Amino acid sequence: MENRGGAGGAIGTAAAARAAPDGQTFLLVFDSHVVNPALMPNPGYDARQDFAPVMLLGSAPMLLATPKARPWQNLSELLAAAQAKPDTLTYGTIGSGSLAHLTMTLLQERMGVRLVHVPYRGGGPLSTAAASGEVDLVVATNAGLGDRSVKRCGHWCRPVPAARRSFRICR
């Protein structure tokens, strides 16, 4: 097993695409697998041509989490604060181009607010930022954020069932 991180998964995915087609290489991918080609001029692989899907291992809803010290009790209050002070509230994600980043970009566009994106190099640094209050808001999956670490550091998170397709703030 070899973990080749970086570039939103593009480095490891490109290496798997170049591997001999002998059935000995297995690639585990996330949402970035199909997002990277849309965001990068040449990610080093063709998501449709270079791979064959085998199975879905799981899925997880996205969470919005804030430190308890922040004053917002719900998403409406957070958005009102963002509208009152554009480009001052910060949100952290596992990186630029991640599903969380794209989700927040869409949310900002649709709600007419401007937040400052703080990309981290993966879930570990993002969890640390969430725990320390380094950012006003973090966006991640429950697994990516680390439920125990979030609860221990004065936050609470409640996942939103994917079927409901709504935003709910976690505190």
Side-chain angles (χ1 to χ4, degrees):
M1 183 167 157
E2 185 176 350
N3 181 14
R4 290 193 188 180
I11 292 172
T13 303
R18 291 188 305 270
D22 57 8
Q24 299 298 308
T25 301
F26 184 81
L27 175 68
L28 178 65
V29 297
F30 298 94
D31 52 65
S32 59
H33 180 68
V34 293
V35 171
N36 284 342
L39 300 177
M40 299 175 178
N42 181 12
Y45 65 92
D46 182 319
R48 294 178 190 221
Q49 299 297 318
D50 293 339
F51 302 99
V54 177
M55 66 185 281
L56 174 66
L57 293 178
S59 63
M62 300 297 292
L63 303 174
L64 302 178
T66 65
K68 283 190 174 184
R70 300 305 193 273
W72 319 295
Q73 298 300 311
N74 54 51
L75 185 59
S76 296
E77 291 178 10
L78 172 71
L79 293 173
Q83 286 174 336
K85 294 183 175 184
D87 298 315
T88 58
L89 299 182
T90 59
Y91 72 96
T93 69
I94 61 168
S96 294
S98 66
L99 182 59
H101 179 215
L102 298 177
T103 298
M104 290 304 291
T105 299
L106 181 61
L107 176 72
Q108 290 175 85
E109 181 182 299
R110 295 229 172 128
M111 298 292 115
V113 298
R114 291 191 327 252
L115 304 169
V116 178
H117 180 221
V118 181
Y120 290 90
R121 296 181 66 136
L126 179 63
S127 291
T128 300
S132 69
E134 187 174 309
V135 289
D136 295 308
L137 172 71
V138 293
V139 185
T141 62
N142 195 38
L145 197 51
D147 189 51
R148 283 186 310 211
S149 126
V150 171
K151 286 180 181 174
R152 189 174 0 135
C153 298
H155 300 68
W156 66 265
C157 286
R158 178 177 45 196
V160 179
R164 291 184 48 201
R165 305 274 189 247
S166 62
F167 286 95
R168 188 174 298 177
I169 198 165
C170 296
R171 300 186 55 76

